[in-house]
């Protein structure tokens, strides 16, 4: 089935061309769900004359957005913890006192798969309303074999209930649950690795993630999880250098990770390792903002080393209760000094790459899937510029 979308300013986000890969007055030909051609509006290929054509009044088209790091599936709320932090407690103190991630684990274990889906749907709908067509969703609040699988099944189900591509990441190594307190290696042996095997056997995990941090797992422990992922043929990624520099990004890069995420405490050795391996730097300004972090990720060094930079919501109840990727773009610019063009690349081309989907989505180019966002704005910089404003005109998604 063929159709033409025309009278559009097209930010193709293809690199190495005009800023934003912009085509001022363009059209796109879609054939059977894939992009067949991108051309000037008065340059439609001869054999496409007479094909059904829709006109968009000069609006801006971008690739549909990609949120490449979320913890969208969880139970409960951490509003009380927000109050405690405002009364002076730190994120790490709350975690050590049995709050933090562990309290979301209790709330998540208490919910059924159906309940988890119901709780996550409104969050997913907020993302979709801003033009998101691909969302990564992590486990990591179950921390038993059954509860981790339950989270991943809920994530998969979200992808069947809405016209959105869900990419799952298994995050058993997110926190040490209370029943294994002080016995992190036993937790890895008895839960994390068996649950990974089970998730893989059921086709529930598209990638494997971990939290490498003083309050979570050491690089040596993460390496054990990554070894198992490699044996199963699954790609890896890592929460690294969020609160301190343990060398997590270096480890991830040496393992050929798709991405290393957070990175506020990343040092120059980590930057070079990521550049050498092509690992995407996923920056999460919502968590930086919400935790009132003051250490900035090394954006200038990442840029100079040509490490691809992505932006994501990190939507989770503890450190980033945010369901707006447009706000993440604005924060990426105001807090991290990304340019609006880098911010848009961060939620399209580089976010797709962070999920191993560079061949499928993230730019408007022949061969990729027809996944577009059409916006009521005059210039692509407006997407990052405005705060709390959603100019989406229409999301167009032609999945299989
Ligand atoms: N880093 C984060 O920012 C989230 N997980 C992680 O590893 C926070 C998770 C939470 O506080 O619930
Ligand atoms: Fe996260």
């Amino acid at each position: 089935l063929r159709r033409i979308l025309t009278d559009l300013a097209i930010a193709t986000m293809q690199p190495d061309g005009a800023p934003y890969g912009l085509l001022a007055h363009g059209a796109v030909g879609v054939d059977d769900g894939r992009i067949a051609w991108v051309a000037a509006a008065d340059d439609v290929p001869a054999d496409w004359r007479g094909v059904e054509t829709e006109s968009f009044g000069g609006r801006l088209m971008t690739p549909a957005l990609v949120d490449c790091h979320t913890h969208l599936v969880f139970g409960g709320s951490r509003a009380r913890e927000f109050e405690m932090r405002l009364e002076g407690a730190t994120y790490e103190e709350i975690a050590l006192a049995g709050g933090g991630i562990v309290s979301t684990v209790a709330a998540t274990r208490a919910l059924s798969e159906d309940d988890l889906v119901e709780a996550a749907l409104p969050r997913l709908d907020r993302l979709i309303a801003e033009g998101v067509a691909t969302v990564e969703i992590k486990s990591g609040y179950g921390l038993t074999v059954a509860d981790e699988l339950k989270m991943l099944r809920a994530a998969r189900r979200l992808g069947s209930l809405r016209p959105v591509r869900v990419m799952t990441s298994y995050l058993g190594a997110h926190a040490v649950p209370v029943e294994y307190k002080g016995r992190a290696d036993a937790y890895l042996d008895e839960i994390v690795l068996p649950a990974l095997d089970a998730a893989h056997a059921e086709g529930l995990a598209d990638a494997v993630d971990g939290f490498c941090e003083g309050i979570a797992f050491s690089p040596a422990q993460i390496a054990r999880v990554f070894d198992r992922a490699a044996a199963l043929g699954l790609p890896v990624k890592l929460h690294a250098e969020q609160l301190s520099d343990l060398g997590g990004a270096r480890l991830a890069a040496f393992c050929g990770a798709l991405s290393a995420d957070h990175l506020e405490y990343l040092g120059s050795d980590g930057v070079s390792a990521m550049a050498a391996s092509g690992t995407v730097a996923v920056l999460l300004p919502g968590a930086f903002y919400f935790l009132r972090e003051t250490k900035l990720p090394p954006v200038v060094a990442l840029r100079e080393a040509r490490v691809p930079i992505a932006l994501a919501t990190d939507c989770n109840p503890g450190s980033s209760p945010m369901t707006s990727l447009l706000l993440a773009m604005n924060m990426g610019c105001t807090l991290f000094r990304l340019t609006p063009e880098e911010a848009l690349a961060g939620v399209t081309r580089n976010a797709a790459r962070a999920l191993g989907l560079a061949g499928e989505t993230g730019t408007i180019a022949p061969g990729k899937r027809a996944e577009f966002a059409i916006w009521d704005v005059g210039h692509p910089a407006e997407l990052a510029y405005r705060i709390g404003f959603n100019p989406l005109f229409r999301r167009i998604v032609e999945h299989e």
Side-chain angles (χ1 to χ4, degrees):
L1 196 75
R2 288 174 155 192
R3 65 176 173 139
I4 297 172
L5 314 178
T6 192
D7 198 5
L8 290 157
I10 305 179
T12 66
M13 299 315 287
Q14 295 200 63
D16 309 321
Y20 300 92
L22 199 65
L23 189 59
H25 190 62
V28 180
V30 176
D31 192 354
D32 205 19
R34 290 204 184 257
I35 299 169
W37 50 266
V38 186
D42 47 18
D43 231 2
V44 170
D47 58 325
W48 280 65
R49 299 230 173 90
V51 169
E52 178 196 322
T53 299
E54 189 172 359
S55 202
F56 286 89
R59 290 188 174 84
L60 175 73
M61 169 189 267
T62 67
L65 305 190
V66 177
D67 193 350
C68 69
H69 179 140
T70 87
H71 308 249
L72 210 72
V73 170
F74 60 83
S77 148
R78 302 251 287 280
R80 173 59 196 136
E81 182 179 315
F82 181 50
E83 288 186 322
M84 285 165 67
R85 285 203 293 115
L86 285 164
E87 288 155 10
T90 68
Y91 182 73
E92 279 155 306
E93 280 165 8
I94 290 167
L96 290 171
I101 293 178
V102 162
S103 72
T104 298
V105 170
T108 301
R109 287 178 178 174
L111 295 189
S112 68
E113 184 186 321
D114 287 350
D115 294 338
L116 286 173
V117 168
E118 197 182 319
L121 267 177
R123 298 190 276 269
L124 179 60
D125 285 336
R126 298 307 298 178
L127 296 177
I128 290 171
E130 289 187 347
V132 170
T134 303
V135 58
E136 186 258 19
I137 303 179
K138 303 173 191 300
S139 69
Y141 290 121
L143 313 187
T144 67
V145 175
D147 290 305
E148 285 294 300
L149 296 177
K150 178 179 73 179
M151 286 189 71
L152 293 169
R153 288 190 198 109
R156 279 273 187 262
R157 192 120 68 79
L158 289 167
S160 68
L161 290 172
R162 292 290 185 272
V164 72
R165 179 191 293 107
V166 169
M167 298 294 286
T168 56
S169 296
Y170 169 69
L171 180 56
H174 191 199
V176 179
V178 280
E179 61 273 20
Y180 281 94
K181 197 167 183 164
R183 298 187 298 131
D185 279 290
Y187 170 63
L188 292 182
D189 288 325
E190 293 166 23
I191 307 293
V192 174
L193 299 177
L196 171 51
D197 292 341
H200 177 66
E202 247 189 80
L204 289 172
D206 297 320
V208 175
D209 196 353
F211 188 19
C212 187
E213 194 54 65
I215 56 170
F217 299 91
S218 68
Q221 289 164 338
I222 294 295
R224 299 186 55 207
V225 181
F226 282 4
D227 283 347
R228 182 67 59 96
L232 298 174
L234 291 172
V236 298
K237 56 176 75 176
L238 191 63
H239 287 69
E241 275 75 88
Q242 180 184 6
L243 309 169
S244 61
D245 184 0
L246 298 186
R250 235 178 318 143
L251 168 70
F254 291 154
C255 295
L258 289 171
S259 70
D261 303 36
H262 286 289
L263 303 176
E264 281 84 342
Y265 290 80
L266 182 68
S268 55
D269 51 342
V271 174
S272 345
M274 289 178 67
S277 63
T279 298
V280 177
V282 177
L283 304 183
L284 303 165
F288 176 94
Y289 165 83
F290 195 69
L291 297 180
R292 303 186 76 237
E293 180 59 67
T294 52
K295 178 113 170 67
L296 286 161
V299 167
V300 172
L302 289 167
R303 192 185 277 137
E304 278 172 2
R306 302 186 132 272
V307 174
I309 297 173
L311 285 170
T313 61
D314 196 17
C315 176
N316 77 71
S319 69
S320 188
M322 173 162 91
T323 47
S324 171
L325 198 51
L326 291 173
L327 180 55
M329 290 170 69
N330 176 267
M331 288 178 168
C333 296
T334 52
L335 299 173
F336 295 166
R337 312 311 288 164
L338 295 180
T339 66
E341 185 182 359
E342 287 172 324
L344 188 55
V347 298
T348 54
R349 184 177 72 239
N350 293 339
R353 178 167 166 179
L355 297 177
L357 293 173
E360 285 291 290
T361 194
T363 66
I364 299 176
K368 296 215 184 182
R369 300 226 51 106
E371 299 175 352
F372 312 114
I374 295 174
W375 309 91
D376 263 321
V377 301
H379 188 276
E382 283 184 51
L383 298 177
Y385 157 71
R386 294 185 64 159
I387 302 171
F389 179 74
N390 180 5
L392 186 74
F393 174 71
R394 199 187 310 159
R395 201 189 69 129
I396 295 174
V397 173
E398 300 200 358
H399 283 147
E400 295 94 314

